[in-house]
Amino acid sequence: MRFEETPLAGAYRVWPEPLSDDRGFFARTACADEFAAHGLVGAFAQSSVSFNARRGTVRGMHFSASPHAETKLVRCTAGAIHDVIVDLRPDSSSYLKSFATELTAGNRCALYIPAGFAHGFQALTDAAEMLYMIDRAYVAGSARGLRWNDPALDVAWPEPVAVIAERDLAYPDWSA
């Protein structure tokens, strides 16, 4: 795997390095030892999938509050998505900055999202599917979110919003 730092402290794009032959290829997508060598969480307690029927669907911006803040490794397994993270850690050099990347089934890139970040995405295709690997069990009482179009976050969504949950529309703007 190849780890590529993003402009946000502690967040990485993780690229598989396929070993190819006439059958196709084989590639690791997670390895506890390699993640640890980069100072990253490499053990994931939970795996989840998000299926998005319509292009333009927005999910986010979601995070879990301490002490249940989650580290995530996300990957698009079908279609394509515009993935966005925002650093909500007040002591971070990248506090309130955002980063976006395109994750597709074809590029097989994953995004490593440290605890303390908000995360969201927009489906760029119909039938876009995301795989989440999460370092701890979900605690519903710690679930939080920010409004997807909060001006303080300065997130640019590439397409008009076609579908969004009432819950995501009702989240408040960020206030430290």
Side-chain angles (χ1 to χ4, degrees):
M1 291 175 294
R2 180 170 45 92
F3 293 78
E4 178 184 298
E5 290 183 74
T6 72
L8 306 187
Y12 288 81
R13 292 196 303 177
V14 182
W15 299 88
E17 294 184 322
L19 299 172
S20 300
D21 62 24
D22 46 340
R23 299 170 294 174
F25 72 85
F26 179 86
R28 281 183 296 164
T29 58
C31 174
D33 291 343
E34 287 190 46
F35 276 71
H38 286 83
L40 307 177
V41 171
F44 299 98
Q46 182 178 319
S47 180
S48 301
V49 66
S50 170
F51 176 79
N52 305 276
R54 282 187 56 201
R55 177 184 189 144
T57 297
V58 169
R59 291 183 186 253
M61 300 290 296
H62 305 145
F63 65 98
S64 289
S66 289
H68 305 289
E70 301 168 336
T71 295
K72 299 173 186 169
L73 182 67
V74 300
R75 168 183 320 281
C76 183
T77 56
I81 62 111
H82 176 80
D83 206 72
V84 179
I85 56 176
V86 177
D87 190 346
L88 300 179
R89 303 168 301 172
D91 58 342
S92 172
S93 61
S94 54
Y95 178 60
L96 286 188
K97 293 190 170 124
S98 66
F99 172 76
T101 191
E102 189 170 301
L103 302 179
T104 72
N107 73 18
R108 297 182 178 88
C109 181
L111 186 60
Y112 177 89
I113 308 165
F117 278 65
H119 173 251
F121 65 87
Q122 183 173 46
L124 298 177
T125 61
D126 289 340
E129 186 174 281
M130 293 285 293
L131 174 67
Y132 286 70
M133 296 185 61
I134 307 162
D135 73 327
R136 62 186 62 229
Y138 175 73
V139 176
S142 292
R144 305 282 189 278
L146 302 173
R147 200 164 40 83
W148 65 281
N149 60 353
D150 179 348
L153 305 181
D154 194 30
V155 173
W157 299 98
E159 302 200 4
V161 176
V163 180
I164 190 167
E166 289 296 322
R167 178 185 75 160
D168 290 347
L169 290 171
Y171 280 133
D173 284 345
W174 177 252
S175 62

